Amino acid sequence: FFYSVSLWPYSEASPDLTMSIEALDPPSKHTLRILVATDNHLGYLERDAIRGLDSFAAFEEVLYLAKKYKSDMVLLAGDLFHDNKPTRRTLHKTMEIIKRYTMGPDPVQIQILSENNFEHGDANYLQEFYSVDLPIFSIHGNHDDPTRDGNDLLASLDILSVSHLVNYFGRQEIVDKVEIAPILFKKGDTQVALYGMGSLRDERLNRMWQRKKVRFQRPSEGEWFNIFVLHQNRDLGRGSKNCVHETMIPEWMDLIVWGHEHECLIQPSESVVGTFRITQPGSSVATSLSAGESIRKHVGVLDVRHNQFRLTAVPLVQVRSFMMGEVSLNGQDLDPEDPKIDDQVTQFLENEVEVLIHEVKEKRQELLLDAKEQGNNYKEQTDLKYKLKNPDDILVRLRVEHSGFTTLNNQRFGARFVGRVANLSGILLFHRKKETSDITYARKKRAMQAIEKPIVPDDHKEMNIEDLVMENLDMSDKKLEMLDEY
């Protein structure tokens, strides 16, 4: 029933995250249930006529699922907002959604045993004049990190925290070291230590970790399930000094919730250390038309009982469908010297996009049925205030390798798909084929041969400083003269 080390089957192209709906039955008195999400990017494209509500629709669905499955709390791993200084419109919508889903008369079943955990006093559900039945705990990300405002260092989360809507934690005030103290939760016989670290510059954090300037405080006694939530680059080909390596994280951690990376890899995977698991929930809204964003979006329902855990992935349905494709103009029946080549390329690419549109619409119906089987029936979401506007307007990105051909105007091309595609000005992404290693090597070799023979400098007549001064100051047109007083 519960897992501590076992892993579920995973396919990189399409994760098999099916889990019995029975796993989402109300938790027992000794089971701490946490709904895990990250990178909501509220306010992304808020002025877009079609996609302006996408981020709010997905975020409301996250809280809707937290209430539906009787979660004890919600854990957000950064980038709640897309902009560092969100607009009043975004703040208003965000606060309204949070207030509607977190305020209520039901008692909160979790205790907090530690002190001085949050930026603005005790947890919001412990405040005397507030009735909170679904507490949200969040760190900041790189999009909504604290910035200087006069003499104060404030983040947008501070506004939600001082309003007792969100419990903001994980902020580091000291610039040359990091000390992370846990929030100690207890529900029944289960004890959880939650460690949080808001986004820091990756290079600076990497240096502090190498110099052993990052410290984790541990409870002095008792058996604890340790969760670490962070918002940093993972070691995925970004360079050794521009990320957090899994080997840097203490071996005694049990589960890592990794924010910042938008690809949904929510199924817990074993770390390179081998002593803890990592879950990467990914973003709830696509902020870039990349391959990672095209992976299906999920949130996780995390159940912890004693020293064991189970994470059930629940697919989101208030997410705009997104399909990527790739094609090369070379090898097609196209002649770049033809005077009508632009029309021919346009027709060819239009057909390719039509295929993608057809595929993604068929796939959306399958995903909705699959989501229903996994416990998220979109037909039951009748009370949601924010939903996708024109959900049949999908996102499409076609990568086009156009070596030897000219590009097309993206906006003019996108006008052909009005009413069917949401990203009309970004459907096509043109790129050229990278040079092969043989060509690159030949160019390097020619360059090296060109510099093998030393370059002899031209002969110059010797000149000392006195000659230079005489040449520039003793010439008739550059002499200094004294002016008469008037």
Side-chain angles (χ1 to χ4, degrees):
F1 184 28
F2 276 81
Y3 311 86
S4 57
V5 295
S6 59
L7 299 175
W8 303 304
Y10 171 73
S11 168
E12 192 169 315
S14 178
D16 180 10
L17 297 170
T18 56
M19 178 75 68
S20 172
I21 297 180
E22 296 177 357
L24 297 175
D25 288 341
S28 69
K29 64 179 181 179
H30 298 295
T31 301
L32 177 61
R33 174 164 290 180
I34 306 171
L35 188 128
V36 180
T38 185
D39 291 85
N40 308 106
H41 287 273
L42 295 173
Y44 175 69
L45 291 183
E46 62 177 335
R47 299 186 184 279
D48 189 284
I50 299 175
R51 302 166 66 186
L53 294 179
D54 286 13
S55 62
F56 301 104
F59 181 63
E60 182 173 0
E61 185 182 15
V62 170
L63 298 187
Y64 162 82
L65 292 172
K67 297 285 281 190
K68 177 180 179 180
Y69 293 119
K70 310 296 182 185
S71 300
D72 294 302
M73 56 184 278
V74 175
L75 177 61
L76 303 178
D79 279 355
L80 177 62
F81 293 102
H82 183 70
D83 295 316
N84 187 267
K85 295 182 180 179
T87 64
R88 286 173 292 182
R89 180 172 179 265
T90 293
L91 278 174
H92 176 265
K93 289 182 183 296
T94 303
M95 297 173 79
E96 188 274 331
I97 293 172
I98 294 176
K99 182 179 178 181
R100 187 153 38 92
Y101 281 90
T102 62
M103 297 291 185
D106 297 333
V108 176
Q109 302 294 330
I110 52 177
Q111 297 175 267
I112 295 182
L113 307 181
S114 52
E115 298 179 351
N116 303 320
N117 300 291
F118 309 105
E119 295 300 320
H120 300 278
D122 295 330
N124 58 356
Y125 70 91
L126 299 176
Q127 300 294 324
E128 182 179 1
F129 300 108
Y130 286 81
S131 181
V132 175
D133 62 5
L134 179 63
I136 298 176
F137 298 84
S138 178
I139 63 172
H140 67 258
N142 60 306
H143 278 255
D144 51 11
D145 59 333
T147 55
R148 186 68 60 183
D149 194 347
N151 294 325
D152 299 319
L153 191 64
L154 296 173
S156 50
L157 282 175
D158 281 300
I159 299 174
L160 303 182
S161 179
V162 78
S163 304
H164 300 302
L165 295 174
V166 168
N167 299 294
Y168 175 27
F169 73 109
R171 184 159 128 184
Q172 301 296 322
E173 303 287 352
I174 305 175
V175 297
D176 59 345
K177 65 178 179 179
V178 174
E179 291 202 11
I180 306 173
I183 306 172
L184 303 180
F185 295 100
K186 183 177 182 181
K187 183 182 180 185
D189 295 336
T190 298
Q191 298 186 123
V192 173
L194 176 61
Y195 296 82
M197 182 177 67
S199 177
L200 298 169
R201 283 191 59 190
D202 289 286
E203 299 87 348
R204 181 163 67 91
L205 178 60
N206 190 288
R207 285 196 301 270
M208 286 191 287
W209 228 307
Q210 297 288 353
R211 297 171 182 173
K212 302 188 184 302
K213 296 289 186 179
V214 180
R215 296 180 54 207
F216 292 82
Q217 300 178 16
R218 299 186 67 178
S220 58
E221 57 185 24
E223 183 179 358
W224 298 88
F225 185 87
N226 300 294
I227 301 175
F228 180 33
V229 54
L230 74 164
H231 190 98
Q232 303 291 152
N233 285 338
R234 289 187 71 173
D235 184 11
L236 301 173
R238 290 189 173 90
S240 60
K241 298 181 180 179
N242 195 33
C243 62
V244 171
H245 299 271
E246 295 175 16
T247 53
M248 296 176 172
I249 299 173
E251 296 181 359
W252 45 265
M253 288 292 177
D254 296 298
L255 180 65
I256 311 301
V257 179
W258 210 303
H260 183 60
E261 304 289 353
H262 282 207
E263 183 177 357
C264 181
L265 302 175
I266 198 165
Q267 185 173 348
S269 59
E270 186 173 1
S271 67
V272 296
V273 178
T275 59
F276 55 80
R277 302 289 179 267
I278 300 174
T279 177
Q280 182 179 298
S283 64
S284 58
V285 62
T287 60
S288 65
L289 301 178
S290 61
E293 294 277 22
S294 65
I295 302 296
R296 193 176 187 184
K297 307 291 186 184
H298 293 78
V299 293
V301 178
L302 173 64
D303 290 324
V304 181
R305 187 167 67 197
H306 302 143
N307 64 342
Q308 297 178 315
F309 78 96
R310 173 186 62 207
L311 193 145
T312 306
V314 180
L316 296 173
V317 297
Q318 293 298 328
V319 176
R320 197 168 297 278
S321 299
F322 176 29
M323 178 71 78
M324 284 197 68
E326 187 161 0
V327 69
S328 174
L329 297 182
N330 291 284
Q332 310 297 332
D333 188 17
L334 297 170
D335 181 9
E337 303 299 329
D338 193 314
K340 296 183 178 181
I341 186 60
D342 285 352
D343 295 336
Q344 295 174 10
V345 169
T346 300
Q347 186 60 50
F348 171 74
L349 295 180
E350 183 178 351
N351 294 337
E352 294 293 323
V353 172
E354 289 286 358
V355 172
L356 290 178
I357 292 175
H358 179 72
E359 288 181 1
V360 74
K361 288 190 174 181
E362 284 189 344
K363 185 178 179 181
R364 175 169 174 77
Q365 297 304 317
E366 296 176 2
L367 293 178
L368 290 176
L369 292 175
D370 184 58
K372 180 180 178 181
E373 295 176 358
Q374 296 186 48
N376 188 11
N377 187 354
Y378 71 99
K379 292 183 178 180
E380 296 177 355
Q381 298 181 358
T382 56
D383 295 333
L384 265 62
K385 180 176 179 180
Y386 298 103
K387 296 183 179 181
L388 292 180
K389 184 178 180 181
N390 301 342
D392 290 333
D393 288 7
I394 60 177
L395 300 174
V396 174
R397 169 55 65 87
L398 181 64
R399 286 173 50 86
V400 183
E401 193 278 303
H402 71 109
S403 300
F405 294 82
T406 58
T407 61
L408 302 179
N409 184 291
N410 236 326
Q411 290 185 333
R412 189 179 302 127
F413 181 83
R416 299 167 179 264
F417 304 96
V418 173
R420 295 191 293 161
V421 175
N423 58 312
L424 296 175
S425 62
I427 296 177
L428 303 178
L429 177 64
F430 289 96
H431 68 97
R432 295 185 182 277
K433 186 177 181 180
K434 293 182 178 180
E435 295 181 342
T436 62
S437 58
D438 292 339
I439 297 175
T440 304
Y441 174 76
R443 287 189 175 181
K444 287 183 177 179
K445 186 176 181 180
R446 287 197 299 269
M448 292 298 294
Q449 290 174 347
I451 63 174
E452 283 180 355
K453 187 178 180 179
I455 301 174
V456 180
D458 297 335
D459 293 333
H460 290 283
K461 185 171 60 176
E462 284 191 14
M463 181 177 293
N464 54 38
I465 190 65
E466 291 83 0
D467 296 335
L468 190 62
V469 171
M470 291 293 294
E471 180 181 342
N472 285 275
L473 298 182
D474 198 38
M475 295 172 64
S476 59
D477 60 336
K478 292 184 179 181
K479 284 185 177 180
L480 301 180
E481 298 180 357
M482 295 293 293
L483 301 178
D484 297 333
E485 290 189 28
Y486 290 96

